[in-house]
Amino acid sequence: MSVLAHTSEAEALRSAQTGKQLDKNILVISDLHLGEDLRPGGANVSYLRHLVTLERELEKFLQHYTTQRLDGRPWRLVVNGDMIDFMSVMILPDKDGVTEEGDDEEDRLYGLGFGERQSQKKMERVIARHQGVFKRLGEFVAAGNDLVIVVGNHDVEFHYPSVQRTLVEWLCGLCVGIGADDGERAAFAGRISFCPWFYYQEDLIYIEHGHQYDEYCSFDYLLHPVAPNPQQKALNKKSRIALSVAHAGMRYFANQIPDYDPHTAEHWGFADYMKWGWTQGLRGAVRLAYFYGLLVWRLVELWYSLRGVDAERRLVHHERLRELSTHWQMSEEKVLALDSLRRAPVTTRFWKLLAALFIDRMLLGIVALVTAGVLVGQLHGLWKAAGALATLVAFACVNQALNHIRLESSATKLRTATSLIQGLVCAPLIVFGHSHTPEKVPLPNGATYYNTGTWASDDGSHSFTHLMVVSDENGAPKAELKQWRDGASTPYWR
C-alpha cells in the first residue's frame, strides 16, 4: 500500500501553515468522564468535591465561549473522546426492566450492560446527573457555535444512533425548548455532529482520541464495535459493544469492589496487586479472588466468542471505512492505511490476554518455585541456598521486564503513532487525548503534536487543559495549548 512521499508532505504542510484560513475558531477538550461518579465507590467526599469543581469550571468555560468570539467567528468545540464515561456507570435495572430480553440476570448482577437500550438509559442518567453542564453546552450550540463529538473508548456507545439522538434531543430541550418549531430544532441539531473515529480538516488539523493505539482499550473494528453477547449468542439475541479489557475490568472487577481505584490499573504491576490483596485480609482476599476469577472467565469467553464473527464484523467495518473516505474526501487507500496503524486489542490474542491478567506471571512464579524446590532437593551444602536464590532473582528480573512491557505508558504509544499518521494525512496539527497527559511535541516538516490531557484531572496543575486554534495577525492559523484559570484561557505551562 503506497503512502504520500515525505517530500510532498513537507510541501503540503508548509502550504497549509501559510495558506489555510479558518471558517470557525476551534476549541478542543477531551476526557471529561461525565458520569464516572455513577458507580460504587465513586461518591466519596473528596471525589464529590472534585466533581463540583470540575462541573463549575466547565460551565464557566462553556458560558464564556458562548458569549465571547474572536474576530467575529463562531467556535467549533471538538470534544475529543470520553465525554461520557459509559464504561464506569453502574446502574441497576428498573423494576419494570430496561434491558434486552434474556440479559436481566447479567444486568441485575453487574448493572446495565452495553446494548443499545442500556446505553440510552445510561445517557439519560448522566445528563440528569450533570444537567447544569449539558444546559450550558446546549446554550453554546444555540448561540450559533458547532459541537463535534469524537468517540473515545469510554463512550464508544455513541456508536448507537439512539444514544446520539438522546443527547441531541436533551440539549435541544434544555435550551431551545420542547415547543420550538421544527426549523429551529433542525438548525440546532445540524450544528451537532458525531465522529466515530476522527475529525479532519485538510491542511489544518487531524483530531483522534487515540485509544486505537493502546491495545488494552482498542477495538478490532472501530466502525462496527458490536458483537453478539457471548451469553446469548446461541439464542441469536441482539449485539452489544464487544468489550475491551478495560471495559471488562471495570464491569466485572472494579465496579464490584467499591474501595478499588480503577485508575491504579494504569501503573500497577503484579507485585502491587499482590501487596494490595495482602492488605485485604483473608475474607477480602477470597472476595478478590472470586471477582478476579470471574473477570478471567468473562474475558476468555469473550475471546472465544469473537472468533466466529470476525468476517462479518470486518465486512461491515470496511463498508463504513469507504463511507468515511467519501465524507472526509480522503482516498480509500489512506483511510485503510490509517486503520492498519491500530494496535490489535488484547481480547483477540489469547496469550496477550493471559499476560494482561497476570496469568503469565503466576505461571512463571509456579515454575520458579518448582525449580527452586528441585534445586534444594538435588544440590548440597551452600549450593542449595545459592540455587534457590538464583532462581528467585531470575524470576524477579523476568517479572520486572514483563512489567516494563505491560506498563508502557499510553502517552508513549501515542507519540509513536503521530509520525505514522503524519505520513498519511495533510495536517500540520495532530491532536490526541486518551493519555491524560497534556503535551506539545514538535514533529518533522514543521508539524506539531498536541495532547489535550484531561479536563477532569484531580491534579490542579494539569486540569482544565484544552487546545485553541485561532488566526494570527497575518490570518494564518495558530494553535496553543491552554488551561482554564480564573475565568480565562491562559497558556499552559507544564
Side-chain angles (χ1 to χ4, degrees), residues 255-382:
N255 280 351
Q256 310 307 315
I257 305 171
D259 60 341
Y260 172 68
D261 180 0
H263 297 294
T264 59
E266 299 173 6
H267 53 266
W268 269 17
F270 180 68
D272 299 298
Y273 279 101
M274 292 297 99
K275 291 176 184 176
W276 176 59
W278 180 263
T279 65
Q280 300 299 303
L282 179 59
R283 177 177 292 184
V286 171
R287 185 164 174 263
L288 291 178
Y290 169 77
F291 286 116
Y292 170 77
L294 173 68
L295 175 61
V296 172
W297 173 258
R298 293 300 196 194
L299 282 171
V300 171
E301 185 180 46
L302 175 64
W303 165 79
Y304 185 80
S305 70
L306 290 177
R307 298 187 310 157
V309 295
D310 186 75
E312 177 187 345
R313 297 176 66 228
R314 181 171 60 248
L315 179 63
V316 177
H317 174 73
H318 279 263
E319 288 176 353
R320 291 175 179 170
L321 285 176
R322 286 191 288 271
E323 294 172 2
L324 201 64
S325 71
T326 301
H327 176 78
W328 292 121
Q329 297 183 340
M330 296 175 66
S331 70
E332 186 177 333
E333 183 183 43
K334 278 189 185 181
V335 174
L336 288 170
L338 284 170
D339 183 52
S340 70
L341 298 180
R342 73 184 184 279
R343 292 200 180 190
V346 168
T347 50
T348 64
R349 294 175 292 170
F350 187 71
W351 289 109
K352 195 77 173 178
L353 183 62
L354 296 184
L357 294 166
F358 294 109
I359 292 176
D360 62 334
R361 236 60 61 83
M362 295 180 189
L363 295 175
L364 181 63
I366 292 171
V367 171
L369 290 175
V370 170
T371 302
V374 170
L375 291 175
V376 168
Q378 295 296 320
L379 299 177
H380 303 282
L382 292 177

Side-chain angles (χ1 to χ4, degrees), residues 225-237:
V226 297
N229 185 340
Q231 287 79 47
Q232 303 297 325
K233 186 177 176 182
L235 301 177
N236 197 29
K237 296 298 182 182

